Amino acid sequence: MSVVDLARFMEDLATQSGVAILPFFRAHFGMDDKASGSGRGFDPVTEADRAAETVMRRMIRTTFPTHGILGEEFGSERTDAECVWVLDPIDGTRAFISGLPTWGTLIGLTRNGTAVRGLMHQPYLGERFLGDGRSATIRTAKGERKLRTRRTEKLADAILATTDPRLFAEGEERERFLQVEASVRMSRYGADCYAYCMLAAGQIDLVVEAGLQPYDIVALIPIVEGAGGVVTSWAGGPATGGGRVIAAGDRRLHEQALAMLNP
Protein backbone atom coordinates (compact mmCIF):
# COMPACT_ATOMS: atom_id res chain seq x y z
CA MET A 1 0.00 0.00 0.00
CA SER A 2 1.33 3.43 -0.95
CA VAL A 3 1.95 6.25 1.50
CA VAL A 4 -1.12 8.04 0.14
CA ASP A 5 -3.28 4.96 0.63
CA LEU A 6 -1.89 4.45 4.14
CA ALA A 7 -2.73 8.04 5.07
CA ARG A 8 -6.24 7.58 3.67
CA PHE A 9 -6.68 4.38 5.65
CA MET A 10 -5.69 6.14 8.89
CA GLU A 11 -8.29 8.78 8.13
CA ASP A 12 -10.86 6.06 7.52
CA LEU A 13 -10.01 4.63 10.95
CA ALA A 14 -10.58 8.08 12.44
CA THR A 15 -13.89 8.53 10.65
CA GLN A 16 -15.32 5.16 11.61
CA SER A 17 -14.14 5.33 15.23
CA GLY A 18 -15.73 8.76 15.47
CA VAL A 19 -19.01 7.36 14.21
CA ALA A 20 -18.84 4.74 16.98
CA ILE A 21 -17.96 7.24 19.72
CA LEU A 22 -20.13 10.31 19.15
CA PRO A 23 -23.52 8.79 20.08
CA PHE A 24 -22.12 8.25 23.59
CA PHE A 25 -20.69 11.74 24.14
CA ARG A 26 -22.78 13.84 26.56
CA ALA A 27 -25.26 10.98 26.77
CA HIS A 28 -26.07 8.34 29.36
CA PHE A 29 -23.94 5.24 28.83
CA GLY A 30 -22.34 2.33 30.62
CA MET A 31 -19.01 2.77 32.36
CA ASP A 32 -16.67 0.44 34.24
CA ASP A 33 -13.72 1.10 36.53
CA LYS A 34 -10.71 -0.90 35.32
CA ALA A 35 -8.92 -0.22 38.60
CA SER A 36 -11.77 -1.43 40.82
CA GLY A 37 -10.40 -3.33 43.81
CA SER A 38 -6.78 -2.70 42.84
CA GLY A 39 -6.14 0.34 45.02
CA ARG A 40 -5.02 2.30 41.93
CA GLY A 41 -7.77 4.89 42.12
CA PHE A 42 -10.37 5.47 39.39
CA ASP A 43 -9.58 4.23 35.86
CA PRO A 44 -12.76 4.50 33.77
CA VAL A 45 -13.58 2.75 30.52
CA THR A 46 -16.81 3.28 28.60
CA GLU A 47 -18.90 1.53 26.00
CA ALA A 48 -17.63 4.14 23.56
CA ASP A 49 -13.98 3.11 24.15
CA ARG A 50 -14.77 -0.52 23.42
CA ALA A 51 -16.99 0.19 20.42
CA ALA A 52 -14.38 2.40 18.74
CA GLU A 53 -11.48 0.04 19.29
CA THR A 54 -13.54 -2.90 18.04
CA VAL A 55 -14.25 -1.04 14.79
CA MET A 56 -10.62 -0.06 14.26
CA ARG A 57 -9.28 -3.54 15.01
CA ARG A 58 -11.72 -5.09 12.54
CA MET A 59 -10.63 -2.65 9.81
CA ILE A 60 -6.92 -3.25 10.45
CA ARG A 61 -7.25 -7.04 10.46
CA THR A 62 -9.14 -6.91 7.16
CA THR A 63 -6.80 -4.49 5.37
CA PHE A 64 -3.45 -5.40 6.96
CA PRO A 65 -3.68 -8.99 8.21
CA THR A 66 0.09 -9.20 8.81
CA HIS A 67 0.24 -6.07 10.96
CA GLY A 68 0.21 -6.09 14.74
CA ILE A 69 -2.17 -4.19 17.00
CA LEU A 70 -1.71 -2.74 20.48
CA GLY A 71 -4.83 -1.16 21.94
CA GLU A 72 -5.82 0.11 25.35
CA GLU A 73 -9.01 -1.89 25.67
CA PHE A 74 -8.28 -5.26 24.06
CA GLY A 75 -4.55 -5.75 24.50
CA SER A 76 -1.98 -6.82 21.94
CA GLU A 77 -1.72 -9.15 18.98
CA ARG A 78 1.26 -9.77 16.68
CA THR A 79 3.30 -7.01 18.30
CA ASP A 80 6.46 -8.66 16.92
CA ALA A 81 5.32 -7.67 13.41
CA GLU A 82 7.27 -5.08 11.41
CA CYS A 83 4.30 -2.70 11.50
CA VAL A 84 2.15 -2.31 14.61
CA TRP A 85 -0.92 -0.11 15.03
CA VAL A 86 -1.14 1.54 18.45
CA LEU A 87 -4.66 2.62 19.41
CA ASP A 88 -6.28 4.60 22.19
CA PRO A 89 -9.96 4.99 21.26
CA ILE A 90 -10.57 7.74 23.83
CA ASP A 91 -7.52 9.39 25.33
CA GLY A 92 -8.98 11.54 28.08
CA THR A 93 -11.83 9.31 29.25
CA ARG A 94 -12.33 11.43 32.37
CA ALA A 95 -12.93 14.47 30.20
CA PHE A 96 -15.23 12.40 27.98
CA ILE A 97 -17.46 11.25 30.83
CA SER A 98 -17.51 14.82 32.17
CA GLY A 99 -18.79 16.19 28.87
CA LEU A 100 -15.59 18.12 28.16
CA PRO A 101 -14.23 18.01 24.58
CA THR A 102 -10.57 17.70 25.60
CA TRP A 103 -10.33 14.05 24.57
CA GLY A 104 -9.32 12.43 21.32
CA THR A 105 -8.83 9.18 19.45
CA LEU A 106 -5.16 8.29 19.02
CA ILE A 107 -4.09 6.22 16.02
CA GLY A 108 -0.39 5.51 15.74
CA LEU A 109 1.74 3.30 13.54
CA THR A 110 5.19 1.96 14.40
CA ARG A 111 7.65 0.33 12.06
CA ASN A 112 10.36 -1.76 13.67
CA GLY A 113 9.53 -0.07 16.96
CA THR A 114 9.75 3.51 15.69
CA ALA A 115 6.67 5.75 15.60
CA VAL A 116 6.30 6.72 11.92
CA ARG A 117 2.76 8.07 11.59
CA GLY A 118 0.22 9.50 14.00
CA LEU A 119 -3.28 10.95 14.01
CA MET A 120 -5.33 12.53 16.79
CA HIS A 121 -9.02 12.90 16.00
CA GLN A 122 -11.53 14.96 17.99
CA PRO A 123 -14.80 14.11 16.22
CA TYR A 124 -17.02 16.37 18.32
CA LEU A 125 -14.99 19.46 17.38
CA GLY A 126 -14.16 18.12 13.93
CA GLU A 127 -10.39 18.44 14.35
CA ARG A 128 -7.69 16.11 13.08
CA PHE A 129 -4.00 16.46 13.87
CA LEU A 130 -1.74 14.43 11.58
CA GLY A 131 2.01 13.88 11.44
CA ASP A 132 4.67 11.64 9.94
CA GLY A 133 7.71 12.94 11.81
CA ARG A 134 8.69 15.21 8.90
CA SER A 135 5.62 17.43 8.73
CA ALA A 136 2.38 17.89 10.64
CA THR A 137 -0.98 19.45 9.87
CA ILE A 138 -4.32 20.23 11.45
CA ARG A 139 -7.51 19.74 9.48
CA THR A 140 -10.83 21.34 10.39
CA ALA A 141 -14.02 22.37 8.61
CA LYS A 142 -12.20 25.60 7.73
CA GLY A 143 -9.44 23.78 5.89
CA GLU A 144 -5.94 22.46 6.52
CA ARG A 145 -2.79 24.20 7.71
CA LYS A 146 0.72 23.19 8.71
CA LEU A 147 1.66 22.95 12.36
CA ARG A 148 4.81 24.53 13.76
CA THR A 149 5.99 24.56 17.34
CA ARG A 150 6.83 27.81 19.08
CA ARG A 151 10.46 28.80 19.58
CA THR A 152 10.68 29.41 23.31
CA GLU A 153 14.23 29.28 24.57
CA LYS A 154 13.82 29.81 28.33
CA LEU A 155 11.76 27.94 30.89
CA ALA A 156 10.79 31.26 32.45
CA ASP A 157 8.89 32.10 29.24
CA ALA A 158 7.29 28.69 28.75
CA ILE A 159 3.76 27.33 29.15
CA LEU A 160 3.80 23.85 30.67
CA ALA A 161 1.06 21.22 30.54
CA THR A 162 0.53 17.90 32.28
CA THR A 163 -2.55 15.73 32.63
CA ASP A 164 -2.59 15.71 36.43
CA PRO A 165 0.29 16.40 38.85
CA ARG A 166 -1.11 13.69 41.13
CA LEU A 167 -0.02 11.10 38.55
CA PHE A 168 3.62 11.64 39.47
CA ALA A 169 4.86 9.21 42.09
CA GLU A 170 5.36 10.60 45.58
CA GLY A 171 8.95 11.50 46.32
CA GLU A 172 11.70 12.23 43.83
CA GLU A 173 9.57 11.94 40.68
CA ARG A 174 7.01 14.47 41.89
CA GLU A 175 9.69 16.77 43.31
CA ARG A 176 11.48 16.90 39.96
CA PHE A 177 8.27 17.78 38.15
CA LEU A 178 7.41 20.46 40.69
CA GLN A 179 10.86 21.95 40.22
CA VAL A 180 10.27 22.28 36.48
CA GLU A 181 6.78 23.65 37.06
CA ALA A 182 8.12 26.29 39.45
CA SER A 183 10.47 27.49 36.70
CA VAL A 184 7.88 28.14 33.96
CA ARG A 185 5.61 31.10 33.29
CA MET A 186 2.34 29.18 33.54
CA SER A 187 1.06 25.61 33.83
CA ARG A 188 -2.18 23.95 32.78
CA TYR A 189 -3.69 20.60 33.79
CA GLY A 190 -6.13 18.12 32.29
CA ALA A 191 -5.60 18.39 28.53
CA ASP A 192 -4.45 14.78 27.93
CA CYS A 193 -3.58 14.31 24.23
CA TYR A 194 -4.65 17.86 23.42
CA ALA A 195 -1.63 19.22 25.27
CA TYR A 196 0.73 17.59 22.76
CA CYS A 197 -1.35 18.80 19.82
CA MET A 198 -1.37 22.33 21.18
CA LEU A 199 2.39 22.06 21.61
CA ALA A 200 2.61 21.10 17.93
CA ALA A 201 0.39 24.08 17.11
CA GLY A 202 2.65 26.51 18.98
CA GLN A 203 0.23 27.23 21.83
CA ILE A 204 2.06 25.26 24.56
CA ASP A 205 5.81 24.92 24.97
CA LEU A 206 6.39 21.93 27.24
CA VAL A 207 4.57 18.75 28.30
CA VAL A 208 5.91 16.64 31.17
CA GLU A 209 4.20 13.42 32.20
CA ALA A 210 4.76 10.07 33.91
CA GLY A 211 3.04 6.70 34.01
CA LEU A 212 2.13 6.70 30.31
CA GLN A 213 1.41 3.59 28.27
CA PRO A 214 2.56 3.24 24.63
CA TYR A 215 -0.97 3.90 23.39
CA ASP A 216 -0.95 7.25 25.24
CA ILE A 217 2.02 8.62 23.30
CA VAL A 218 2.92 6.74 20.09
CA ALA A 219 0.42 8.56 17.85
CA LEU A 220 1.51 11.93 19.22
CA ILE A 221 5.25 11.55 18.58
CA PRO A 222 5.09 11.95 14.75
CA ILE A 223 2.76 14.94 15.18
CA VAL A 224 5.04 16.80 17.60
CA GLU A 225 8.22 15.89 15.73
CA GLY A 226 6.63 16.72 12.39
CA ALA A 227 5.85 20.20 13.72
CA GLY A 228 9.48 20.74 14.75
CA GLY A 229 9.32 19.59 18.36
CA VAL A 230 11.03 16.83 20.29
CA VAL A 231 9.61 13.97 22.36
CA THR A 232 11.74 11.73 24.57
CA SER A 233 11.74 9.87 27.84
CA TRP A 234 13.01 11.72 30.91
CA ALA A 235 16.30 9.92 30.30
CA GLY A 236 16.48 11.40 26.79
CA GLY A 237 15.75 8.15 24.95
CA PRO A 238 12.79 7.06 22.80
CA ALA A 239 9.32 7.66 24.25
CA THR A 240 7.50 4.94 22.33
CA GLY A 241 7.42 2.69 25.39
CA GLY A 242 5.59 5.28 27.49
CA GLY A 243 6.56 5.81 31.12
CA ARG A 244 8.09 9.21 31.92
CA VAL A 245 7.76 11.45 28.87
CA ILE A 246 8.77 15.01 28.03
CA ALA A 247 7.81 16.93 24.88
CA ALA A 248 9.07 20.38 23.95
CA GLY A 249 8.57 22.75 21.06
CA ASP A 250 12.18 23.98 21.23
CA ARG A 251 15.22 21.74 21.69
CA ARG A 252 16.88 24.33 23.92
CA LEU A 253 13.88 24.19 26.24
CA HIS A 254 13.95 20.40 26.16
CA GLU A 255 17.59 20.39 27.27
CA GLN A 256 16.89 22.74 30.18
CA ALA A 257 13.93 20.70 31.39
CA LEU A 258 15.84 17.42 31.06
CA ALA A 259 18.65 18.84 33.20
CA MET A 260 16.13 19.56 35.95
CA LEU A 261 14.44 16.17 35.65
CA ASN A 262 17.83 14.41 35.82
CA PRO A 263 19.90 16.39 38.37
Side-chain angles (χ1 to χ4, degrees):
M1 179 172 280
S2 70
V3 173
V4 173
D5 290 338
L6 183 61
R8 185 178 300 117
F9 177 72
M10 292 190 76
E11 297 231 34
D12 289 343
L13 289 177
T15 297
Q16 294 306 315
S17 60
V19 169
I21 289 169
L22 281 181
F24 295 96
F25 186 53
R26 296 183 178 173
H28 297 290
F29 53 83
M31 177 179 63
D32 296 324
D33 181 4
K34 291 188 288 187
S36 179
S38 69
R40 294 188 289 110
F42 180 51
D43 188 8
V45 59
T46 71
E47 294 177 37
D49 291 271
R50 297 186 180 108
E53 188 168 319
T54 296
V55 167
M56 290 190 287
R57 281 177 176 267
R58 183 184 304 123
M59 293 174 65
I60 293 167
R61 291 188 192 112
T62 299
T63 307
F64 297 106
T66 63
H67 286 194
I69 305 173
L70 173 61
E72 180 175 13
E73 307 309 331
F74 298 112
S76 61
E77 52 186 271
R78 295 182 57 84
T79 51
D80 59 344
E82 178 183 357
C83 294
V84 178
W85 295 87
V86 186
L87 311 172
D88 190 346
I90 300 178
D91 184 78
T93 305
R94 289 173 176 80
F96 183 89
I97 64 179
S98 302
L100 302 172
T102 52
W103 53 272
T105 298
L106 297 180
I107 303 168
L109 179 67
T110 65
R111 184 173 185 181
N112 296 321
T114 299
V116 293
R117 300 190 74 90
L119 187 155
M120 191 285 263
H121 184 214
Q122 216 304 330
Y124 184 74
L125 299 178
E127 294 184 337
R128 292 186 184 185
F129 297 81
L130 309 95
D132 62 5
R134 299 178 299 277
S135 65
T137 59
I138 177 175
R139 186 176 304 142
T140 70
K142 297 180 180 179
E144 182 173 320
R145 65 177 176 86
K146 288 188 176 181
L147 296 172
R148 293 302 301 173
T149 60
R150 180 163 56 197
R151 294 297 171 241
T152 302
E153 180 179 357
K154 299 178 181 179
L155 283 171
D157 297 325
I159 296 175
L160 165 72
T162 193
T163 297
D164 189 329
R166 293 171 296 183
L167 297 178
F168 296 98
E170 290 282 357
E172 186 178 15
E173 183 175 275
R174 182 172 297 182
E175 290 171 3
R176 291 182 183 182
F177 166 75
L178 292 175
Q179 184 179 6
V180 174
E181 184 180 34
S183 302
V184 301
R185 172 174 291 178
M186 183 176 78
S187 59
R188 299 295 297 170
Y189 303 151
D192 294 286
C193 58
Y194 250 106
Y196 296 88
C197 292
M198 290 299 97
L199 186 148
Q203 301 295 131
I204 288 173
D205 303 295
L206 189 65
V207 181
V208 179
E209 302 206 272
L212 298 188
Q213 297 297 324
Y215 46 72
D216 295 318
I217 190 63
V218 165
L220 298 165
I221 294 172
I223 297 172
V224 171
E225 292 183 343
V230 56
V231 187
T232 71
S233 69
W234 284 20
T240 48
R244 299 172 174 178
V245 170
I246 175 172
D250 189 309
R251 289 188 176 275
R252 295 167 296 182
L253 197 66
H254 179 260
E255 291 173 2
Q256 292 172 47
L258 274 188
M260 299 183 75
L261 294 172
N262 299 278

